[in-house]
Amino acid sequence: MIEIIAFIGLLTTILILQKIHIYYFQMNRYEIKTSYKMLLSNYLIDFVIIGLIDILNYLLYINEYNTACIVIGIVAIVYKIYLFWNIKKYNYQKNKLKYTQRVLRWIGILISIYLIAILLIILLDYKYIHLSLLIFEIVNLIGITISKLIEYIYEIKYKNAAIKKLSNYPNLKVIGITGSYGKTSVKQYLYSILQNDYIVKATPMSYNTLMGVCKYINGTSLDNVNYLIVEMGAVRKGDIAKLCRLVHPDIGIITSIGNQHLDTFGSVDNIYKTKNELADYLMDNNGVVIYNINDKKCYKAWNEYNGHKIGVYVINNNSNDINYAIYCENGETNDNIYKYYKMQNNKQNLSYYDISTNKVVYLSTMLLGEHNLQNVALAVTCARLLGIDSASVVRSVASLKAVDNRLQPKIGPGGALIIMDAYNSNEFSFGAMLKVAKDIDKPIKILITPGVVDMGNEQYDINYRLAALSANIFNEIWIINKVNKYALLEGANSSNADCIIKTYDTLDKNIFSSVNELDDKFLVIFENDLPDTYK
Amino acid sequence: MLNVAVIFGGVSCEHDISIITGVQVVNNLDDSKYSVIPIYIDKNAKWYYLPQKVSIEDVLEYEIVGKRCSMSADSKCLYTYQFGKLKKRCQIDLAILAMHGLNGEDGSVAALMQLNGISCINCPMLCSSLCLDKITFKNYLAGLSLINYLPYISYNSSDDYVNLDKKIVKSFGYPVILKPANLGSSIGIAVCNNFDDLQQNLLEVIQYDKNILVEKKLKNFVEYNIAVVKFRNEFIISSIEEPISKNQILTYSDKYLAGNKIIGMESLTRKFPAKLSSSVKKKIESWSVLLYKNLKMRGVVRFDYLFDNDEQKLYINEANTIPGSYANYLFEGMSFSDLLNGCIDNAIFESQSDNTIKYFESSVLSNVGNLGKINK
């Protein structure tokens, strides 16, 4: 009887905790350290309780208090089931555990180790069966280690397949895009411009890691393709260099250098160095690097770079006079800078001077936000380098669409103007959104945001500052989640502006349905959607 | 390697010619670049998957050599029958249609490919079906009113042919040509010099199609053929040929059975390149490109023109969206495989812009409410 209860106790621990563990590992890119850090911060009390019950049971069993042992065993099982329901309610709400190939392999490995462990327990006369948490953690760690080894072998396999495939296409030109923000937009704009004259492929939305790019290359037909645009994401030093060794870019675009992923990079200097790994590779391989020199750190990098480089500079043309633009152009001696002039009217217009035809080219775009003009300028510069003529560029730029959830305007069912800027916000894009919001002419403006995250030590200050600015522009701010709640609240209050502030725990259906009812007097902006780590 | 399907045969009067074109295409595709999947559609509309290097003899023994296969409407896969069940065979990246006439050239197969998300080197369905139906094509030209065409009357089998006679006399008079509306390759075409001829020939032509195009017959004329193909953003215009017929007009046997030997369109007696004045040549070229652009065509299209020597006037006769032998004999200095390579490259190029916007998020449904529960 005792053995049966203890066995059920062990099984419940395994089934319940293992699922949480796998879930957290999947969320944290299968990193042991960060996953355990997060697990312990969320479940420390539960772990301690289970551990204590385990020890108590073990002691009772050894001293042969059988009835007490059974009672506590049953209580423990009930507690674990209760815990399971709570987890289900709060944690699996938005992103469910995905049973990918990797997870299935891992589960296979775990089952086989569990069988061995159970066999050992039976051989040791059920003595340690009560120490369920300990058994579980040991098996789990062994499982992760074996799984990691296997994944490593798979990764090498995928990588070699991708390298081999790329070597079959010697004429394929590769354009690498990196930066703290703006890379997905530049990628999409460049794709739209190039596809009128060439066959172009670009890595899809979230495929910007080494494995993601490998997977994309292995699964895509590259026959007849002229240009492959690769978005290069980095969270660690060396990430970009690895991607460069895989795809061998001929042209590089560095959109911005900011503080994104400071947690994993360790220091601002490391971010700077990592983004410049693309430039370092191109220097050794005679490529061209295009920098967005509106960005301060990019400007610094551009200055320091000795290879073939181009700086893209978007200038506010206050005089609204195109002759001024030409004057500036002719007066400029540094041919490493491509200048774009922002026209001072309400529309999002740019102009540049085309040396080959001696004409001023006017670009007009429907995209919102000044940072988007920089993104367009970067894409246009790259297209010009590749010999796309101005007429084609003008046509493509006019039809550019916003990337999903990046300052993407929509009209809600009730008629309100809704701007989705929910994708991975940061200080920079938050600021760009504020500029856009300021220019839009609507009587009531609502901001829905959880603030920005992944900012290291400065997170409180940044959110405080952003909230203070927002309060002057918006009539209402709806704060989502508790991560930045106080920073945003205090920031908004500090501005003394007449702004209503509401707080919500999660971004749920009720918020969406109330937004859907708003009429055309309203502007609603969704700024940032927190990564799973914060839900 | 791209998996390129070459589809030929089909339920059409031009079934056999389609096989010739199909086999030519299969054997001219570059082995090192593409893995070729020849698909033959027999006269009962059944699909067969044939071996990679296919010959005419193989096609004739398709039931022994080939494997029954099929496609669905929502995947790029080709399925073959195994023990009566459909099994995935391979993915098709690109399709080359080598089908003439109905159930192929009319856009039906192009439509299937479009549904499956497979890009085709040929014309999409709209211009394919429009060009196949001779009456619709003429109606289109009438609307476009930029290109000359021969005056015509459309006749349906349910109409009274005495009435037709009156119309003919009233508008352009005898002799006339009767053409079944939806057949290519000059099948079922008949010349009528008077009302008796008309009565007799109508009975025969009606067997091919219920809708008949009645057209003025030119007395002293020459025919000119030209092909146009688009490689990315650049139009390539072939030389012009002048096919010569011993009879009054080019018949089926002239086109394909010259010397009792089936070798395809190349064997036809012809003048090539045709000798014609530069102004006519310019007109032919510009009209062809104009039509190609206006109908948003793709791949090789052959345009046939008639030139009236008496009146010195040029008329367009028809547009073949899938010409026999892909009209490769018209392109001087370009081999068949180069032509196919270019077409394939163009298809990949154009399919990029096909993929842009297909779905538009709307709030229509959320505003409708629950329709199922409406009570009156």
Side-chain angles (χ1 to χ4, degrees):
Chain A
M1 184 68 181
I2 288 184
E3 281 81 10
I4 293 169
I5 297 290
F7 196 71
I8 294 171
L10 177 64
L11 279 183
T12 44
T13 311
I14 290 169
L15 289 177
I16 293 164
L17 291 188
Q18 194 65 65
K19 199 173 174 189
I20 305 172
H21 271 67
I22 292 181
Y23 174 71
Y24 272 81
F25 275 101
Q26 192 169 61
M27 257 170 36
N28 288 293
R29 299 184 184 138
Y30 304 94
E31 278 165 17
I32 299 176
K33 217 173 105 187
T34 38
S35 309
Y36 266 98
K37 213 166 121 189
M38 228 166 79
L39 264 167
L40 289 178
S41 69
N42 282 337
Y43 297 108
L44 185 61
I45 301 165
D46 304 305
F47 279 25
V48 169
I49 293 173
I50 295 174
L52 286 176
I53 294 175
D54 278 354
I55 293 164
L56 185 63
N57 249 342
Y58 176 68
L59 293 174
L60 289 171
Y61 182 72
I62 285 182
N63 298 317
E64 295 188 2
Y65 292 109
N66 286 356
T67 336
C69 193
I70 289 172
V71 172
I72 291 175
I74 290 171
V75 170
I77 291 167
V78 171
Y79 173 73
K80 282 173 211 164
I81 292 170
Y82 162 78
L83 183 67
F84 181 66
W85 279 114
N86 275 339
I87 290 160
K88 235 187 165 174
K89 263 183 198 157
Y90 294 115
N91 271 310
Y92 294 93
Q93 226 169 28
K94 197 154 185 191
N95 287 39
K96 277 189 172 170
L97 176 65
K98 282 188 199 113
Y99 289 96
T100 55
Q101 289 279 321
R102 181 206 280 257
V103 170
L104 292 178
R105 277 197 292 269
W106 189 3
I107 291 174
I109 295 163
L110 284 171
I111 289 175
S112 40
I113 311 173
Y114 277 125
L115 289 177
I116 297 166
I118 289 169
L119 203 70
L120 276 175
I121 290 166
I122 294 170
L123 286 176
L124 292 171
D125 212 12
Y126 294 99
K127 211 175 180 176
Y128 301 107
I129 195 163
H130 297 284
L131 297 173
S132 63
L133 191 68
L134 191 67
I135 295 167
F136 163 80
E137 288 301 346
I138 292 170
V139 170
N140 191 39
L141 281 173
I142 297 172
I144 295 168
T145 319
I146 296 175
S147 167
K148 281 226 152 190
L149 272 174
I150 292 177
E151 295 314 322
Y152 187 65
I153 294 165
Y154 268 93
E155 278 180 16
I156 291 172
K157 212 178 102 189
Y158 286 139
K159 207 173 127 187
N160 286 341
I163 289 171
K164 202 183 156 200
K165 187 168 180 185
L166 282 173
S167 68
N168 290 334
Y169 300 97
N171 295 329
L172 180 74
K173 289 258 182 289
V174 179
I175 301 161
I177 302 178
T178 189
S180 295
Y181 26 78
K183 49 186 184 296
T184 306
S185 299
V186 173
K187 176 185 72 181
Q188 187 164 312
Y189 304 158
L190 183 59
Y191 176 83
S192 305
I193 297 170
L194 289 183
Q195 66 147 7
N196 289 328
D197 294 77
Y198 294 107
I199 299 178
V200 199
K201 290 268 159 104
T203 53
M205 208 68 176
S206 50
Y207 287 58
N208 65 10
T209 59
L210 186 66
M211 274 308 104
V213 173
C214 283
K215 198 178 163 192
Y216 175 74
I217 289 168
N218 288 331
T220 312
S221 159
L222 293 174
D223 294 287
N224 293 49
V225 175
N226 303 100
Y227 293 105
L228 174 68
I229 308 173
V230 180
E231 180 181 329
M232 298 173 159
V235 289
R236 235 171 236 99
K237 225 179 139 187
D239 280 0
I240 303 286
K242 274 184 207 160
L243 272 166
C244 286
R245 284 197 293 273
L246 173 73
V247 297
H248 304 295
D250 303 283
I251 295 177
I253 302 177
I254 300 179
T255 60
S256 54
I257 301 174
N259 295 340
Q260 200 79 323
H261 298 295
L262 192 59
D263 294 356
T264 41
F265 273 117
S267 73
V268 181
D269 193 44
N270 276 347
I271 299 180
Y272 183 80
K273 277 181 188 154
T274 310
K275 302 293 171 197
N276 272 313
E277 283 165 9
L278 178 60
D280 295 341
Y281 175 87
L282 287 164
M283 173 110 97
D284 300 338
N285 293 278
N286 297 322
V288 192
V289 194
I290 301 171
Y291 290 92
N292 174 16
I293 56 173
N294 288 78
D295 186 284
K296 272 182 200 158
K297 282 177 189 160
C298 263
Y299 179 72
K300 189 181 158 218
W302 173 79
N303 250 336
E304 288 170 358
Y305 185 66
N306 292 322
H308 188 179
K309 64 185 174 182
I310 289 169
V312 174
Y313 191 32
V314 176
I315 306 157
N316 268 314
N317 182 6
N318 292 320
S319 67
N320 203 11
D321 179 7
I322 195 59
N323 290 324
Y324 169 77
I326 297 168
Y327 172 74
C328 287
E329 193 70 51
N330 294 338
E332 180 58 60
T333 49
N334 192 340
D335 57 2
N336 285 333
I337 297 182
Y338 278 42
K339 283 183 176 174
Y340 294 82
Y341 300 91
K342 194 193 171 211
M343 305 310 291
Q344 285 296 308
N345 43 26
N346 283 328
K347 282 178 191 161
Q348 289 274 92
N349 287 347
L350 273 182
S351 70
Y352 68 85
Y353 186 69
D354 189 348
I355 301 159
S356 61
T357 55
N358 269 338
K359 271 182 186 155
V360 179
V361 180
Y362 294 94
L363 301 171
S364 174
T365 169
M366 285 160 17
L367 300 164
L368 297 169
E370 199 175 326
H371 65 296
N372 260 331
L373 290 181
Q374 292 173 18
N375 292 338
V376 168
L378 284 168
V380 168
T381 307
C382 187
R384 283 166 70 189
L385 269 187
L386 299 175
I388 307 272
D389 65 43
S390 298
S392 175
V393 168
V394 170
R395 234 178 303 130
S396 321
V397 169
S399 58
L400 288 179
K401 296 254 160 19
V403 179
D404 269 0
N405 286 327
R406 285 170 166 89
L407 280 179
Q408 182 192 20
K410 282 180 187 174
I411 302 293
L417 174 62
I418 300 172
I419 296 180
M420 300 298 288
D421 196 24
Y423 191 87
N424 247 355
S425 181
N426 50 59
E427 190 185 357
F428 178 76
S429 65
F430 203 113
M433 178 277 294
L434 289 178
K435 276 186 203 159
V436 171
K438 203 174 175 183
D439 290 341
I440 291 174
D441 184 28
K442 291 269 182 190
I444 305 167
K445 298 175 181 176
I446 301 173
L447 174 67
I448 303 175
T449 184
V452 293
V453 291
D454 271 348
M455 292 287 143
N457 296 332
E458 294 173 47
Q459 183 157 326
Y460 185 92
D461 296 337
I462 290 172
N463 279 301
Y464 183 92
R465 204 162 60 236
L466 290 173
L469 290 170
S470 308
N472 286 319
I473 295 166
F474 290 92
N475 304 77
E476 286 182 32
I477 299 177
W478 300 3
I479 299 169
I480 312 291
N481 206 305
K482 57 177 187 289
V483 202
N484 296 315
K485 190 173 165 182
Y486 294 103
L488 292 171
L489 265 175
E490 285 168 31
N493 289 330
S494 73
S495 74
N496 293 325
D498 185 18
C499 176
I500 303 163
I501 294 162
K502 297 176 183 171
T503 56
Y504 297 87
D505 288 337
T506 50
L507 189 63
D508 57 16
K509 268 187 190 166
N510 295 332
I511 295 179
F512 285 112
S513 57
S514 50
V515 165
N516 283 343
E517 283 164 15
L518 299 176
D519 62 20
D520 59 3
K521 287 189 203 68
F522 288 85
L523 164 73
V524 182
I525 298 185
F526 285 91
E527 178 68 27
N528 204 7
D529 184 22
L530 291 180
D532 303 332
T533 331
Y534 297 91
K535 278 167 188 160
Chain B
M1 283 241 271
L2 274 179
N3 286 340
V4 178
V6 181
I7 307 175
F8 55 95
V11 192
S12 139
C13 294
E14 290 158 278
H15 178 92
D16 295 351
I17 300 150
S18 162
I19 294 176
I20 300 171
T21 308
V23 170
Q24 283 178 329
V25 170
V26 168
N27 290 305
N28 280 298
L29 276 169
D30 192 344
D31 279 352
S32 60
K33 279 186 176 171
Y34 317 109
S35 84
V36 185
I37 306 163
I39 297 171
Y40 167 65
I41 306 177
D42 76 357
K43 286 175 181 166
N44 301 315
K46 299 276 179 280
W47 290 39
Y48 287 87
Y49 173 79
L50 297 179
Q52 281 224 346
K53 273 283 161 200
V54 78
S55 65
I56 302 245
E57 285 73 33
D58 290 335
V59 181
L60 294 174
E61 291 175 352
Y62 66 92
E63 278 176 314
I64 307 159
V65 189
K67 237 179 177 179
R68 275 274 277 128
C69 67
S70 184
M71 286 190 77
S72 72
D74 63 352
S75 91
K76 290 188 173 189
C77 291
L78 181 75
Y79 298 87
T80 51
Y81 283 89
Q82 276 171 356
F83 307 109
K85 277 187 178 170
L86 284 172
K87 285 264 163 65
K88 248 183 216 174
R89 178 88 198 190
C90 55
Q91 191 187 313
I92 297 175
D93 297 317
L94 209 126
I96 299 179
L97 309 188
M99 312 176 78
H100 306 309
L102 276 181
N103 298 315
E105 197 179 346
D106 63 353
S108 51
V109 182
L112 177 67
M113 294 304 143
Q114 188 184 323
L115 281 177
N116 282 321
I118 300 169
S119 44
C120 250
I121 73 161
N122 313 88
C123 286
M125 56 180 180
L126 174 72
C127 56
S128 304
S129 42
L130 195 143
C131 290
L132 191 88
D133 191 283
K134 292 191 174 82
I135 296 173
T136 316
F137 181 60
K138 290 257 177 176
N139 290 343
Y140 174 77
L141 290 175
L144 194 66
S145 63
L146 291 169
I147 296 171
N148 289 347
Y149 52 92
L150 280 171
Y152 68 102
I153 298 166
S154 64
Y155 173 77
N156 185 282
S157 62
S158 59
D159 298 344
D160 184 6
Y161 51 75
V162 180
N163 234 340
L164 175 65
D165 176 58
K166 278 182 195 161
K167 271 191 203 165
I168 291 172
V169 174
K170 206 173 154 192
S171 49
F172 44 82
Y174 290 99
V176 295
I177 306 178
L178 306 184
K179 290 177 178 175
N182 60 17
L183 296 184
S185 276
S186 327
I187 296 168
I189 286 179
V191 179
C192 315
N193 291 315
N194 48 46
F195 183 56
D196 290 343
D197 273 3
L198 183 73
Q199 270 178 307
Q200 217 171 37
N201 286 329
L202 269 179
L203 290 174
E204 195 193 317
V205 179
I206 272 173
Q207 289 171 7
Y208 292 105
D209 191 353
K210 282 180 181 171
N211 295 303
I212 294 166
L213 177 79
V214 184
E215 215 174 45
K216 186 186 168 188
K217 162 87 173 73
L218 297 176
K219 280 166 197 139
N220 180 14
F221 70 95
V222 277
E223 211 181 313
Y224 293 122
N225 294 347
I226 189 174
V228 176
V229 64
K230 202 174 91 179
F231 288 170
R232 300 212 181 174
N233 293 329
E234 174 195 3
F235 288 98
I236 291 166
I237 301 164
S238 77
S239 312
I240 298 170
E241 72 154 357
E242 182 189 334
I244 295 164
S245 169
K246 285 162 206 153
N247 302 329
Q248 287 171 305
I249 42 168
L250 213 57
T251 61
Y252 180 77
S253 48
D254 273 337
K255 265 189 181 169
Y256 295 107
L257 305 173
N260 289 330
K261 225 177 157 191
I262 304 172
I263 331 172
M265 287 290 283
E266 289 165 75
S267 59
L268 196 67
T269 39
R270 59 181 186 143
K271 278 186 200 162
F272 183 72
K275 280 177 191 130
L276 70 172
S277 70
S278 65
S279 66
V280 176
K281 190 182 172 201
K282 228 177 193 175
K283 218 171 203 179
I284 289 178
E285 288 177 351
S286 65
W287 282 359
S288 306
V289 173
L290 181 85
L291 258 188
Y292 198 101
K293 273 187 190 165
N294 262 288
L295 281 168
K296 296 172 198 76
M297 288 168 158
R298 187 184 283 186
V300 184
V301 180
R302 199 190 73 219
F303 298 92
D304 298 354
Y305 291 87
L306 299 172
F307 185 71
D308 188 344
N309 283 330
D310 298 336
E311 288 186 37
Q312 292 289 310
K313 226 176 161 184
L314 184 73
Y315 302 99
I316 190 162
N317 191 22
E318 59 176 354
N320 290 286
T321 52
I322 307 178
S325 309
Y326 266 79
N328 79 299
Y329 51 90
L330 292 179
F331 292 96
E332 285 178 297
M334 195 197 296
S335 69
F336 202 157
S337 45
D338 284 345
L339 180 67
L340 290 171
N341 281 341
C343 286
I344 289 172
D345 180 73
N346 180 61
I348 299 171
F349 176 69
E350 289 197 16
S351 67
Q352 314 191 97
S353 45
D354 288 354
N355 298 336
T356 45
I357 301 174
K358 280 189 179 152
Y359 172 75
F360 185 74
E361 208 176 304
S362 86
S363 54
V364 173
L365 289 178
S366 55
N367 287 339
V368 171
N370 200 335
L371 285 176
K373 281 184 183 168
I374 291 175
N375 289 319
K376 280 188 179 173

